[in-house]
Amino acid sequence: MPTFDLKEPIIYKTDYNVETAGQLDNKIREKYVQDQEKRMLLTEYPTVYVINDPIDKKESQYTVYVGETNDIQRRTLQHLDADPKKRDDFFNFKNSKNVSMYVIGHEHFNKSMTLDIENRLMQYLSSVPAVKHLNNRRHNDQNKYYDSTEFDALFDQIWKKLGRNNKRLFPAL
């Protein structure tokens, strides 16, 4: 596998609820007030996100959803407003008390790259013992695209950084 000098991915963890979703862009701007690039990569470029809800108090099992979007605040609000009316999984996320979301950004994310990252996250999470339910319904395998040669190295960085946030949900490869 080729070695690339890639910048570290940006991972922003937030609560997943209506109040937080309505202020998501502002909260990201506040956190990265000194780093305009990180702010822009999370609020103005494609991102991947992982919604996770611990099923028990020990956080030993989770219900998870992985997605990608070009507008994280709009998409999160959509998941909290319209989706619970049509889907039980989003109804349960909306009404749970301990749900959080990881928003992932990187300077090399484009639509194809985020679809591939989303797909690989779904594949990996489906084999994690702590994931009781993975609520995704589709896969988004992509072919060749700009920066696709960096995909494996970038995914490894993302998984490792997520693992530093939650070893049970994102165990070592």
Side-chain angles (χ1 to χ4, degrees):
M1 175 166 66
T3 306
F4 298 99
D5 187 22
L6 293 171
K7 283 188 179 179
E8 188 172 332
I10 305 150
I11 298 185
Y12 177 77
K13 184 178 180 185
T14 184
D15 291 334
Y16 179 83
N17 57 51
V18 174
E19 300 86 43
T20 303
Q23 294 296 314
L24 189 54
D25 283 352
N26 288 336
K27 294 291 184 188
I28 290 170
R29 285 185 183 97
E30 288 172 15
K31 178 169 175 77
Y32 297 107
V33 70
Q34 300 297 320
D35 195 330
Q36 181 177 351
E37 181 183 14
K38 287 181 180 177
R39 261 193 335 263
M40 287 181 9
L41 291 173
L42 291 174
T43 60
E44 299 177 30
Y45 285 82
T47 57
V48 177
Y49 56 95
V50 180
I51 303 168
N52 60 96
D53 183 16
I55 294 172
D56 57 15
K57 291 183 187 206
K58 293 181 180 181
E59 296 187 4
S60 63
Q61 293 193 313
Y62 292 83
T63 298
V64 176
Y65 178 85
V66 183
E68 62 80 31
T69 184
N70 289 320
D71 184 336
I72 189 62
Q73 181 170 308
R74 178 193 53 76
R75 187 68 176 127
T76 304
L77 287 167
Q78 182 181 18
H79 280 321
L80 287 160
D81 181 37
D83 291 346
K85 296 170 188 166
K86 302 178 280 190
R87 290 181 55 175
D88 289 341
D89 52 348
F90 281 104
F91 178 85
N92 293 336
F93 280 141
K94 181 178 181 176
N95 292 294
S96 180
K97 302 290 182 218
N98 298 314
V99 184
S100 64
M101 178 172 68
Y102 295 99
V103 181
I104 307 159
H106 193 271
E107 66 179 6
H108 291 186
F109 274 7
N110 55 46
K111 186 67 169 180
S112 293
M113 178 73 82
T114 59
L115 289 169
D116 264 355
I117 296 289
E118 174 192 29
N119 194 57
R120 177 80 55 92
L121 281 168
M122 288 188 289
Q123 290 172 349
Y124 276 43
L125 286 166
S126 69
S127 68
V128 171
V131 176
K132 182 77 172 168
H133 304 286
L134 182 62
N135 290 335
N136 291 78
R137 297 180 176 176
R138 62 181 168 85
H139 293 276
N140 294 310
D141 291 339
Q142 300 295 296
N143 291 317
K144 297 248 185 233
Y145 51 88
Y146 179 75
D147 286 346
S148 65
T149 57
E150 298 175 351
F151 172 76
D152 287 325
L154 180 54
F155 182 83
D156 287 349
Q157 283 187 359
I158 290 167
W159 188 266
K160 286 175 186 170
K161 192 165 184 182
L162 286 167
R164 290 194 293 272
N165 283 279
N166 186 327
K167 288 179 173 77
R168 188 166 300 202
L169 188 54
F170 306 100
L173 298 173

